[in-house]
Short mmCIF file of all heavy atoms in Angstrom, two decimals:
data_model
loop_
_atom_site.label_atom_id
_atom_site.label_comp_id
_atom_site.label_asym_id
_atom_site.label_seq_id
_atom_site.Cartn_x
_atom_site.Cartn_y
_atom_site.Cartn_z
N TYR A 174 1.21 -114.23 -72.35
CA TYR A 174 1.60 -114.89 -71.11
C TYR A 174 2.85 -115.74 -71.29
O TYR A 174 3.47 -116.15 -70.33
CB TYR A 174 0.45 -115.74 -70.58
CG TYR A 174 -0.75 -114.89 -70.25
CD1 TYR A 174 -1.86 -114.85 -71.07
CD2 TYR A 174 -0.73 -114.06 -69.13
CE1 TYR A 174 -2.94 -114.04 -70.77
CE2 TYR A 174 -1.80 -113.25 -68.82
CZ TYR A 174 -2.90 -113.24 -69.65
OH TYR A 174 -3.96 -112.43 -69.36
N ASN A 175 3.26 -116.01 -72.53
CA ASN A 175 4.47 -116.76 -72.82
C ASN A 175 5.65 -115.83 -73.09
O ASN A 175 6.71 -116.27 -73.47
CB ASN A 175 4.27 -117.68 -74.01
CG ASN A 175 3.24 -118.74 -73.73
OD1 ASN A 175 3.02 -119.11 -72.58
ND2 ASN A 175 2.58 -119.23 -74.75
N THR A 176 5.44 -114.56 -72.92
CA THR A 176 6.46 -113.56 -73.21
C THR A 176 6.89 -112.88 -71.91
O THR A 176 6.07 -112.63 -71.04
CB THR A 176 5.87 -112.48 -74.15
OG1 THR A 176 5.38 -113.12 -75.32
CG2 THR A 176 6.92 -111.46 -74.54
N ILE A 177 8.18 -112.60 -71.80
CA ILE A 177 8.66 -111.83 -70.65
C ILE A 177 8.51 -110.36 -71.01
O ILE A 177 9.07 -109.89 -71.99
CB ILE A 177 10.12 -112.16 -70.33
CG1 ILE A 177 10.23 -113.62 -69.90
CG2 ILE A 177 10.65 -111.23 -69.25
CD1 ILE A 177 11.63 -114.10 -69.70
N HIS A 178 7.73 -109.63 -70.22
CA HIS A 178 7.50 -108.22 -70.47
C HIS A 178 8.41 -107.40 -69.59
O HIS A 178 8.44 -107.57 -68.38
CB HIS A 178 6.04 -107.84 -70.19
CG HIS A 178 5.07 -108.51 -71.11
ND1 HIS A 178 4.86 -108.06 -72.39
CD2 HIS A 178 4.29 -109.59 -70.95
CE1 HIS A 178 3.97 -108.84 -72.97
NE2 HIS A 178 3.60 -109.77 -72.11
N GLU A 179 9.16 -106.51 -70.19
CA GLU A 179 10.05 -105.64 -69.46
C GLU A 179 9.35 -104.32 -69.22
O GLU A 179 8.99 -103.60 -70.16
CB GLU A 179 11.33 -105.42 -70.26
CG GLU A 179 12.37 -104.61 -69.54
CD GLU A 179 13.65 -104.51 -70.34
OE1 GLU A 179 14.01 -105.46 -71.05
OE2 GLU A 179 14.29 -103.45 -70.24
N PHE A 180 9.13 -103.98 -67.94
CA PHE A 180 8.46 -102.73 -67.62
C PHE A 180 9.34 -101.55 -68.02
O PHE A 180 10.54 -101.59 -67.92
CB PHE A 180 8.15 -102.63 -66.12
CG PHE A 180 7.10 -103.58 -65.65
CD1 PHE A 180 7.31 -104.36 -64.54
CD2 PHE A 180 5.90 -103.71 -66.33
CE1 PHE A 180 6.34 -105.25 -64.10
CE2 PHE A 180 4.92 -104.58 -65.90
CZ PHE A 180 5.15 -105.35 -64.78
N MET A 181 8.69 -100.49 -68.47
CA MET A 181 9.39 -99.27 -68.85
C MET A 181 9.47 -98.37 -67.62
O MET A 181 8.46 -97.99 -67.05
CB MET A 181 8.66 -98.58 -70.00
CG MET A 181 8.59 -99.44 -71.24
SD MET A 181 7.62 -98.69 -72.56
CE MET A 181 8.69 -97.33 -72.98
N SER A 182 10.66 -98.02 -67.21
CA SER A 182 10.89 -97.23 -66.00
C SER A 182 10.23 -95.85 -66.10
O SER A 182 10.34 -95.15 -67.11
CB SER A 182 12.39 -97.06 -65.79
OG SER A 182 12.64 -96.25 -64.68
N GLY A 183 9.53 -95.46 -65.03
CA GLY A 183 9.00 -94.11 -64.91
C GLY A 183 7.77 -93.80 -65.73
O GLY A 183 7.37 -92.64 -65.81
N ASN A 184 7.12 -94.78 -66.34
CA ASN A 184 5.97 -94.50 -67.19
C ASN A 184 4.65 -95.02 -66.64
O ASN A 184 3.66 -95.04 -67.35
CB ASN A 184 6.19 -95.07 -68.60
CG ASN A 184 7.24 -94.32 -69.36
OD1 ASN A 184 7.13 -93.12 -69.53
ND2 ASN A 184 8.28 -95.01 -69.77
N GLY A 185 4.62 -95.45 -65.40
CA GLY A 185 3.40 -96.00 -64.82
C GLY A 185 2.39 -94.90 -64.49
O GLY A 185 2.74 -93.74 -64.29
N GLN A 186 1.13 -95.29 -64.46
CA GLN A 186 0.06 -94.37 -64.12
C GLN A 186 -0.90 -95.04 -63.14
O GLN A 186 -1.14 -96.23 -63.22
CB GLN A 186 -0.74 -93.97 -65.36
CG GLN A 186 0.05 -93.27 -66.43
CD GLN A 186 -0.81 -92.96 -67.65
OE1 GLN A 186 -1.93 -92.48 -67.52
NE2 GLN A 186 -0.29 -93.24 -68.82
N ALA A 187 -1.44 -94.27 -62.22
CA ALA A 187 -2.51 -94.71 -61.34
C ALA A 187 -3.70 -93.83 -61.67
O ALA A 187 -3.72 -92.65 -61.34
CB ALA A 187 -2.11 -94.58 -59.88
N LEU A 188 -4.68 -94.37 -62.35
CA LEU A 188 -5.81 -93.62 -62.87
C LEU A 188 -7.02 -93.81 -61.96
O LEU A 188 -7.52 -94.94 -61.82
CB LEU A 188 -6.12 -94.12 -64.29
CG LEU A 188 -7.14 -93.38 -65.12
CD1 LEU A 188 -6.65 -91.98 -65.45
CD2 LEU A 188 -7.42 -94.15 -66.40
N ALA A 189 -7.46 -92.75 -61.31
CA ALA A 189 -8.66 -92.81 -60.47
C ALA A 189 -9.88 -92.96 -61.38
O ALA A 189 -10.06 -92.17 -62.32
CB ALA A 189 -8.78 -91.56 -59.61
N ILE A 190 -10.69 -93.99 -61.14
CA ILE A 190 -11.87 -94.22 -61.98
C ILE A 190 -13.12 -94.25 -61.12
O ILE A 190 -13.08 -94.57 -59.94
CB ILE A 190 -11.73 -95.52 -62.81
CG1 ILE A 190 -11.52 -96.74 -61.91
CG2 ILE A 190 -10.58 -95.38 -63.79
CD1 ILE A 190 -11.51 -98.05 -62.67
#
Side-chain angles (χ1 to χ4, degrees):
Y174 298 105
N175 295 334
T176 304
I177 296 174
H178 295 282
E179 185 176 326
F180 291 131
M181 298 176 69
S182 177
N184 290 303
Q186 299 178 45
L188 188 66
I190 58 175

